[in-house]
Amino acid sequence: MTSSSSSKKQAQDPPETSEPTLKSLRTKMTKSDEKKKLKDIEISVPLVYGNIASWLGKKASEYQSHKWSVYVRGATNEDISVVIKKVVFQLHSSFNNPTRVIEEPPFEVSESGWGEFEIAITLHFHSDVCDKPLSLYHHLKLYPEDESGPLTMKKPVVVEHYDEIVFPDPSESFLSRVQNHPALTFPRLPSGYNLPAPMQVDDNGKKKRGDTKDHSLGQWFTSFSEADELLQLAAARQQVQAHIAKLRRQISLLEGQNQTIKTGSDP
């Protein structure tokens, strides 16, 4: 992981503990250039953005209690530089060079400090993808939810958000360039429509640097696979059904009590 220059001092305000706001699961982008656009086709790019923070333990000081990284990655840890040209991270003004422009993957910034603050993350796309940048916002989280427990160096604090960036009516060059790319959800083309052969990536080293499958912090990344989503939905459904059953029992009990009271009050 590439480390950035360390800060002189973190934010002056005390650390905030509010939860970051979850972003939409589907963000639809548009492109103003109408030339060679393919109608009724969508390309979606599942991605994850967030931060990992580790307590420094005995090395911690008043202004350097944690080391952390904020990043944007592919949801399956594949290279997303095929879509994203650069990412701009806007840190707190107390940092040296608070505007960090990352033009090559992995799209991430590593720092150290003590305070929590909001980071603006601006995605800039290749010219044939979209001519408008997309701004995301992430609240840097350093401390675990259970703040009553002791700090530990064994497990970092991980806060990640999933988003699916959707590009409707893509250009033919964009579609041809990224077809069969594992990081993107490729659409089913209309019957009889054929694209040129996919562009070959000659620089395997560059392609390797773009993915995060072997990232040093990869073991802590959240999995956002469809199987995980199905398990979460199944668990949520069981909780809802259990709650409904509990409410029905309470209603039956109340109805029984009302019936007893009514019967007892009859002359």
Side-chain angles (χ1 to χ4, degrees):
M1 179 172 295
T2 303
S3 297
S4 305
S5 59
S6 60
S7 63
K8 289 182 179 179
K9 189 176 181 181
Q10 194 82 7
Q12 295 294 327
D13 300 329
E16 300 177 13
T17 56
S18 60
E19 272 296 301
T21 302
L22 291 175
K23 307 303 291 184
S24 169
L25 292 182
R26 281 180 65 87
T27 303
K28 183 165 288 192
M29 305 297 294
T30 58
K31 195 176 189 304
S32 59
D33 185 7
E34 295 293 334
K35 297 180 180 179
K36 296 184 179 180
K37 294 183 67 174
L38 305 176
K39 298 297 184 181
D40 302 322
I41 294 177
E42 289 186 345
I43 296 178
S44 62
V45 184
L47 57 79
V48 175
Y49 62 98
N51 79 267
I52 294 180
S54 299
W55 181 53
L56 294 176
K58 294 181 179 180
K59 296 181 180 180
S61 64
E62 182 180 1
Y63 297 119
Q64 301 288 327
S65 62
H66 290 75
K67 61 180 180 180
W68 52 264
S69 296
V70 60
Y71 49 83
V72 177
R73 64 178 178 87
T76 56
N77 297 317
E78 301 285 354
D79 182 11
I80 55 175
S81 63
V82 67
V83 175
I84 297 176
K85 182 178 181 180
K86 67 179 179 180
V87 179
V88 180
F89 297 88
Q90 187 64 48
L91 308 184
H92 192 273
S93 59
S94 60
F95 282 87
N96 289 333
N97 183 26
T99 303
R100 308 290 174 86
V101 181
I102 310 300
E103 297 182 332
E104 291 184 354
F107 299 111
E108 60 185 33
V109 169
S110 296
E111 265 292 357
S112 60
W114 62 266
E116 298 179 343
F117 56 93
E118 187 175 67
I119 300 175
I121 305 172
T122 305
L123 310 182
H124 294 263
F125 306 100
H126 292 289
S127 59
D128 64 345
V129 176
C130 184
D131 50 9
K132 295 181 180 179
L134 172 64
S135 294
L136 307 172
Y137 297 91
H138 174 69
H139 186 91
L140 177 68
K141 192 74 173 174
L142 303 182
Y143 300 91
E145 289 301 314
D146 184 11
E147 297 183 3
S148 61
L151 293 174
T152 177
M153 298 179 64
K154 294 182 179 180
K155 185 177 181 180
V157 172
V158 182
V159 179
E160 295 189 323
H161 305 298
Y162 174 95
D163 206 334
E164 189 174 314
I165 314 301
V166 180
F167 299 94
D169 303 337
S171 66
E172 183 174 306
S173 62
F174 175 33
L175 190 61
S176 176
R177 183 166 54 83
V178 302
Q179 62 176 309
N180 303 324
H181 194 285
L184 282 63
T185 302
F186 196 75
R188 178 178 296 178
L189 296 178
S191 178
Y193 189 92
N194 295 314
L195 280 174
M199 296 178 61
Q200 299 296 323
V201 178
D202 296 327
D203 187 353
N204 293 326
K206 183 176 180 180
K207 183 178 180 181
K208 181 66 177 178
R209 289 195 302 270
D211 65 45
T212 53
K213 292 184 179 297
D214 297 324
H215 198 286
S216 59
L217 298 175
Q219 62 175 317
W220 305 112
F221 287 161
T222 307
S223 174
F224 290 92
S225 68
E226 293 183 359
D228 291 332
E229 292 181 4
L230 291 174
L231 288 174
Q232 292 176 3
L233 289 173
R237 182 178 181 183
Q238 290 179 352
Q239 292 179 356
V240 171
Q241 290 176 338
H243 189 62
I244 291 174
K246 181 179 178 181
L247 290 176
R248 285 175 175 172
R249 289 195 298 270
Q250 292 176 345
I251 291 173
S252 298
L253 179 62
L254 291 174
E255 289 178 345
Q257 292 175 348
N258 290 336
Q259 185 65 32
T260 301
I261 294 173
K262 183 178 180 180
T263 303
S265 61
D266 291 340

